[in-house]
Amino acid sequence: MDQRLSRRSVLAGIAGGTAASGVALMAGVVPRFAIAQTAGGKVMYRGNGSEPETLDPHKSSGVPESFIQFDLFDGLLIPDGKGGLVPGAAERWEMSEDGTVYTFHLRRNARWSDGTPVTAEDWVFSWKRLLDPRTAAKYAYYLWPVLNAEDASLGRKPMDSVGLAAPDAYTFQVTLRGPTPYFLKMLHHHAAYALSKANLERHGDTFIRPGNLVSNGAYMLVEAVPQSHVKLVKNPHYWDAENVRIDTVMFLPTENLDAELRRFRSGELDFTYEVPLTQTDWVKANLPDEYRETPYFGTYFFAPNMTKEPWKSNRDLRMALNLAIDRASICEKITRQGEQPAYAFTPPGVEGYPLPLPDHAAWTQEQRDAKARELMQKAGYGKGGKPLDLEVLYNTSENHRKVAIAVASMWQQKLGIKVTLNNQEWKVFLDSRDEKKFKDVTRHGWIGDFVDPNTFLELLRSDIGKQNPSGYANPEYDRLMMEANRTQDPEKRAALMRQAEAIVLEDAAVFPLYTYAAQHMVAKRVLNWGDDLLDNHPTRWLDLKA
């Protein structure tokens, strides 16, 4: 899942609004959360980064949308807010002996927010919609483990050949192309959500608007005002509504992290999306009981544009830039929020998958710098070679700006590269990055969709499309990943993925900088907050002190 500040554009057709700015808490001013709770039940205010790309679960791809979608929709399995998964839309399931057929038994008391039943036909329709090339879903590849799904999404086979069936109204059957050990872990993700077939047929492309959207989760959409808020209210038809404690959820976009912190301190937010780098030491010292820092299954990295020269064919140049980045210095002096230097694409934390770290991970930074200068000259640049002018693309965020400045300084000082920073607004940035319009190098980040190396390594397959961060294409890498996807034995599968990742690292197809830590400010009045490696905190599990 793409990280970090939110995704592309505002919701189509929704009236505009003005974002509220952070304000100081003044004597005699009652915080907004207190007013709302006395007026109409419990209201939770969540900081949520930038403007959502879209709330269509089959077209979105970012973290902020997913936080809203966790409240709107139930997957077959759902996150429990504490790092685990529990039954969601499916109350139980069985797997065939050969590991290729899953039979999900849907809850008979599950209802869409308009009161109509959630049926197996909705699930078959929705998964085919994700795969349909006309949907143009970035996450179409997510369901490729399903039999014939890859061929159907690429137009090579008819959609009716995909291994999806509804034997009856409450039985959803999925046939996989081969045993897939991580399949159940995938099913909490927004790409695998169901939509109401009848509602899409009724509203067409406008189904996602407030007043049109029906959802099967704990909440339903009532307002979405660009640059202001997304408002959800409790879904009275939800199968477990009696145990949902929060009546209204307000998701508030705030790209300026300093403003978001001010909003938290003034009582406008119950928790923040992030914490500004410049304020980390202060909040640790002054608000330690409300600062939360936990490991996060994600990698922050830079990606060279390998659809263009010189990046496409000059591995030595790519590796020189990769080696010259002082990751430890960035974590210790720039980010300082629990991040760890990264030399692999997959973060640590996956049981049975020791990272295939390259030799230079054990070197000193001085050794890496010396090798980087050597490779620059070998690549034909630097001292005695051609000058190199390089542009780094990043999106609006003070945290991203600081990291980009630090890396640019390292490349200029160590390798003599002239570096220009190009800051683009989020919507423009994503178009530039996804369509590979950026000139040289772009900042990137990826949060695992489930705790498995596959959620990172699949991105670098040549047939993934826009989600491939560099436009990387290596037939041997593709072969190893396809073989790993068809291997049931955990040790053999891990060995194949380690071989594949080692190829990517040797090719310097991406420049890993650090693995994430999640940071939030969480008000003392928030109850039931749990640590989670994927940083998922659905509102349905949370509560507020009276």
Side-chain angles (χ1 to χ4, degrees):
M1 195 175 298
D2 203 353
Q3 170 70 330
R4 185 76 167 144
L5 288 174
S6 83
R7 296 293 301 170
R8 188 167 297 181
S9 59
V10 299
L11 304 180
I14 299 174
T18 303
S21 60
V23 296
L25 182 60
M26 298 175 288
V29 175
V30 181
R32 185 169 64 184
F33 72 83
I35 296 173
Q37 285 184 221
T38 57
K42 293 181 178 180
V43 183
M44 178 166 282
Y45 292 88
R46 301 181 54 144
N48 205 50
S50 294
E51 193 67 39
E53 173 187 12
T54 173
L55 295 184
D56 183 339
H58 298 155
K59 294 187 177 182
S60 65
S61 56
V63 172
E65 299 95 299
S66 73
F67 287 169
I68 301 172
Q69 290 161 343
F70 279 137
D71 284 358
L72 287 172
F73 297 95
D74 266 10
L76 294 167
L77 280 72
I78 57 177
D80 64 1
K82 298 178 181 178
L85 295 175
V86 294
E91 61 183 0
R92 58 188 175 87
W93 52 87
E94 297 101 29
M95 181 184 71
S96 63
E97 289 187 7
D98 65 358
T100 62
V101 180
Y102 286 78
T103 302
F104 297 95
H105 301 279
L106 306 180
R107 296 182 186 276
R108 292 178 179 267
N109 61 340
R111 294 288 185 272
W112 295 108
S113 53
D114 62 0
T116 57
V118 180
T119 69
E121 185 181 7
D122 291 321
W123 286 94
V124 173
F125 163 80
S126 300
W127 283 27
K128 287 183 177 180
R129 178 180 185 261
L130 179 81
L131 293 167
D132 193 327
R134 293 172 297 182
T135 304
K138 296 178 184 177
Y139 262 103
Y141 74 89
Y142 197 75
L143 295 180
W144 283 3
V146 178
L147 180 67
N148 292 330
E150 180 177 355
D151 285 334
S153 73
L154 297 175
R156 297 194 295 243
K157 286 187 178 181
M159 198 60 64
D160 288 343
S161 68
V162 177
L164 304 172
D168 60 55
Y170 296 101
T171 305
F172 177 45
Q173 194 168 77
V174 181
T175 302
L176 306 181
R177 62 188 176 190
T180 307
Y182 56 88
F183 180 64
L184 288 176
K185 296 180 185 179
M186 298 170 55
L187 301 182
H188 74 286
H189 189 269
H190 60 81
Y193 287 165
L195 296 169
S196 166
K197 179 182 178 182
N199 193 57
L200 262 74
E201 291 175 344
R202 181 182 306 118
H203 294 291
D205 291 341
T206 67
F207 85 95
I208 200 65
R209 295 180 182 177
N212 291 354
L213 178 65
V214 299
S215 55
N216 69 329
Y219 295 90
M220 54 188 185
L221 177 68
V222 293
E223 293 177 6
V225 181
Q227 301 303 325
S228 177
H229 66 270
V230 172
K231 180 180 179 180
L232 313 183
V233 298
K234 187 175 175 179
N235 177 7
H237 300 288
Y238 186 55
W239 64 270
D240 196 31
E242 64 181 19
N243 291 314
V244 177
R245 305 303 181 190
I246 303 299
D247 299 286
T248 301
V249 195
M250 301 290 289
F251 288 89
L252 307 180
T254 311
E255 288 195 7
N256 186 307
L257 299 183
D258 289 305
E260 186 186 43
L261 180 59
R262 290 195 297 271
R263 298 179 82 172
F264 175 81
R265 294 183 62 200
S266 70
E268 290 188 67
L269 294 176
D270 289 300
F271 53 92
T272 66
Y273 185 71
E274 285 191 275
V275 176
L277 298 177
T278 54
Q279 299 296 322
T280 303
D281 291 341
W282 187 90
V283 297
K284 286 181 178 180
N286 294 278
L287 301 171
D289 294 339
E290 296 180 298
Y291 177 72
R292 302 293 182 94
E293 177 184 299
T294 57
Y296 196 15
F297 193 58
T299 302
Y300 190 104
F301 61 98
F302 279 16
N305 191 341
M306 294 181 66
T307 69
K308 298 180 180 180
E309 297 294 355
W311 313 105
K312 181 177 182 178
S313 59
N314 199 327
R315 178 265 179 192
D316 290 332
L317 179 60
R318 298 194 303 268
M319 184 59 77
L321 268 63
N322 183 38
L323 291 173
I325 300 172
D326 188 342
R327 293 145 170 87
S329 178
I330 290 173
C331 293
E332 293 167 5
K333 299 178 182 179
I334 306 298
T335 59
R336 298 182 294 116
Q337 292 181 318
E339 297 85 356
Q340 296 296 317
Y343 298 95
F345 191 37
T346 303
V350 181
E351 185 177 355
Y353 187 79
L355 296 178
L357 295 174
D359 292 342
H360 64 252
W363 299 354
T364 66
Q365 188 57 46
E366 289 74 16
Q367 290 174 313
R368 287 191 282 266
D369 292 344
K371 186 64 175 180
R373 287 188 288 269
E374 176 187 326
L375 290 173
M376 273 290 287
Q377 290 191 337
K378 184 179 176 183
Y381 295 89
K383 187 175 181 181
K386 296 177 292 185
L388 180 61
D389 293 343
L390 180 154
E391 181 181 277
V392 174
L393 176 67
Y394 70 98
N395 60 290
T396 303
S397 164
E398 183 63 16
N399 290 5
H400 296 325
R401 187 183 72 87
K402 288 180 178 295
V403 172
I405 290 174
V407 173
S409 177
M410 294 169 189
W411 286 343
Q412 289 172 339
Q413 293 176 9
K414 299 175 183 181
L415 304 178
I417 300 170
K418 181 180 179 182
V419 181
T420 302
L421 301 183
N422 182 5
N423 172 31
Q424 293 182 349
E425 180 270 336
W426 185 246
K427 179 180 178 180
V428 178
F429 167 79
L430 285 173
D431 181 65
S432 298
R433 192 182 70 184
D434 294 346
E435 299 295 339
K436 305 299 181 287
K437 297 176 183 176
F438 61 97
K439 177 178 176 288
D440 297 300
V441 176
T442 184
R443 84 97 202 158
H444 213 305
W446 192 257
I447 303 303
D449 297 316
F450 46 93
V451 182
D452 189 276
N454 174 275
T455 187
F456 285 84
L457 302 182
E458 281 284 279
L459 296 177
L460 292 163
R461 284 179 49 172
S462 62
D463 52 3
I464 287 300
K466 294 180 181 180
Q467 294 281 50
N468 187 319
S470 304
Y472 179 64
N474 185 311
E476 178 62 10
Y477 179 84
D478 291 349
R479 185 192 68 79
L480 288 166
M481 285 303 300
M482 286 189 283
E483 185 176 350
N485 288 340
R486 289 166 168 79
T487 300
Q488 189 170 15
D489 182 271
E491 292 186 3
K492 292 180 180 178
R493 177 175 176 266
L496 289 165
M497 289 191 293
R498 291 183 80 248
Q499 291 180 53
E501 184 164 6
I503 290 173
V504 164
L505 300 175
E506 178 64 22
D507 283 348
V510 291
F511 310 155
L513 270 67
Y514 54 79
T515 55
Y516 283 111
Q519 306 89 23
H520 302 281
M521 301 302 298
V522 182
K524 295 178 182 178
R525 59 185 172 272
V526 175
L527 301 175
N528 304 330
W529 182 277
D531 294 336
D532 181 359
L533 188 60
L534 295 179
D535 200 32
N536 295 328
H537 304 282
T539 309
R540 66 158 295 191
W541 303 113
L542 302 176
D543 199 356
L544 293 170
K545 293 180 182 177

